Amino acid sequence: DQQVKQNSPSLSVQEGRISILNCDYTNSMFDYFLWYKKYPAEGPTFLISISSIKDKNEDGRFTVFLNKSAKHLSLHIVPSQPGDSAVYFCAASRRDAGNMLTFGGGTRLMVKP
Amino acid sequence: NAGVTQTPKFRVLKTGQSMTLLCAQDMNHEYMYWYRQDPGMGLRLIHYSVGEGTTAKGEVPDGYNVSRLKKQNFLLGLESAAPSQTSVYFCASSFPGPPSSYNEQFFGPGTRLTVL
């Protein structure tokens, strides 16, 4: 039973438009959420994160929104650029459970020029 | 700094063979992790270590063993490989404490393993 789910395996967006990647979780004990970006033949790299005490965190073109009541978070990329084309993983952690990360299945984002 | 490196990059095994994947980090990180990535499943934690000489089980530990004899190295062993262990394996490392924007896990480039 996956505790973190990314229901869209892929997303295609035009350059300059907004990309919205979604993530749902089932475990209400998760208290920290992270997004990782992965290019082919490379390991994931950290992108942005949010604590459960916040509902929004912004870093340049990237914003993560957290809706705790809906157990849902989203990553917004504005404006999208071709270099953003990658697989994006949502991950969650619980500080009372060894700080391990639980990952979603990933969403492949394709930004068309 | 090389960051996190993994050896080998690719490997093909026959069912029943054994092998060891090597992970090395030069960032003086206390924590190290082994994940596997399967299509649609994201990354799942196999084993992890919070310091030299210590290891612990993750979400999917069966069929794997690990050792952390030196702080900078974390070895993942498959004693008797099975086709279900065909996957991409990622090693990661971090400083102690919960993951955050100040304490991210740094990942290696991965090892693609095929078991026939």
Side-chain angles (χ1 to χ4, degrees):
Chain A
D1 181 35
Q2 283 190 286
Q3 297 185 62
V4 178
K5 290 185 180 180
Q6 294 175 254
N7 291 319
S8 298
S10 64
L11 174 67
S12 182
V13 171
Q14 204 69 32
E15 180 180 6
R17 306 295 291 269
I18 184 171
S19 295
I20 300 176
L21 292 86
N22 294 305
C23 178
D24 297 295
Y25 61 96
T26 58
N27 191 336
S28 58
M29 298 298 290
F30 287 137
D31 53 18
Y32 204 86
F33 304 89
L34 307 91
W35 285 93
Y36 279 79
K37 179 179 180 179
K38 184 185 177 306
Y39 291 117
E42 295 182 10
T45 55
F46 170 74
L47 185 60
I48 192 170
S49 63
I50 188 167
S51 165
S52 60
I53 62 174
K54 296 186 175 181
D55 55 17
K56 176 182 174 181
N57 188 28
E58 198 170 347
D59 183 2
R61 296 185 297 112
F62 303 91
T63 303
V64 56
F65 295 92
L66 175 62
N67 183 334
K68 283 181 63 179
S69 61
K71 295 190 180 68
H72 176 84
L73 63 157
S74 60
L75 174 68
H76 292 210
I77 307 174
V78 183
S80 301
Q81 300 174 353
D84 296 329
S85 297
V87 177
Y88 290 79
F89 291 101
C90 169
S93 73
R94 289 173 50 183
R95 296 191 178 207
D96 67 342
N99 308 314
M100 293 185 290
L101 287 175
T102 301
F103 284 83
T107 296
R108 181 178 301 278
L109 173 65
M110 292 162 284
V111 180
K112 296 185 227 178
Chain B
N1 286 353
V4 179
T5 57
Q6 293 183 230
T7 308
K9 288 186 168 53
F10 304 94
R11 185 73 186 267
V12 178
L13 289 178
K14 293 182 180 177
T15 297
Q17 286 185 317
S18 64
M19 78 162 295
T20 300
L21 283 67
L22 170 64
C23 176
Q25 52 94 7
D26 61 2
M27 295 173 282
N28 202 33
H29 285 162
E30 286 290 335
Y31 288 13
M32 295 188 75
Y33 317 80
W34 275 108
Y35 292 90
R36 60 178 288 174
Q37 183 198 359
D38 302 295
M41 298 291 292
L43 284 80
R44 292 181 293 170
L45 184 65
I46 304 171
H47 286 280
Y48 65 99
S49 167
V50 297
E52 183 177 319
T54 71
T55 63
K57 293 180 181 179
E59 182 186 354
V60 288
D62 293 342
Y64 305 95
N65 56 75
V66 288
S67 63
R68 183 99 182 267
L69 299 180
K70 293 183 179 180
K71 184 177 181 179
Q72 64 268 34
N73 295 337
F74 196 26
L75 305 180
L76 177 71
L78 286 74
E79 290 186 348
S80 180
S84 61
Q85 294 178 303
T86 293
S87 188
V88 181
Y89 292 85
F90 289 100
C91 175
S93 69
S94 73
F95 288 114
S100 71
S101 58
Y102 306 104
N103 188 26
E104 62 177 282
Q105 291 187 17
F106 290 85
F107 285 81
T111 295
R112 185 173 294 275
L113 175 66
T114 301
V115 183
L116 302 176

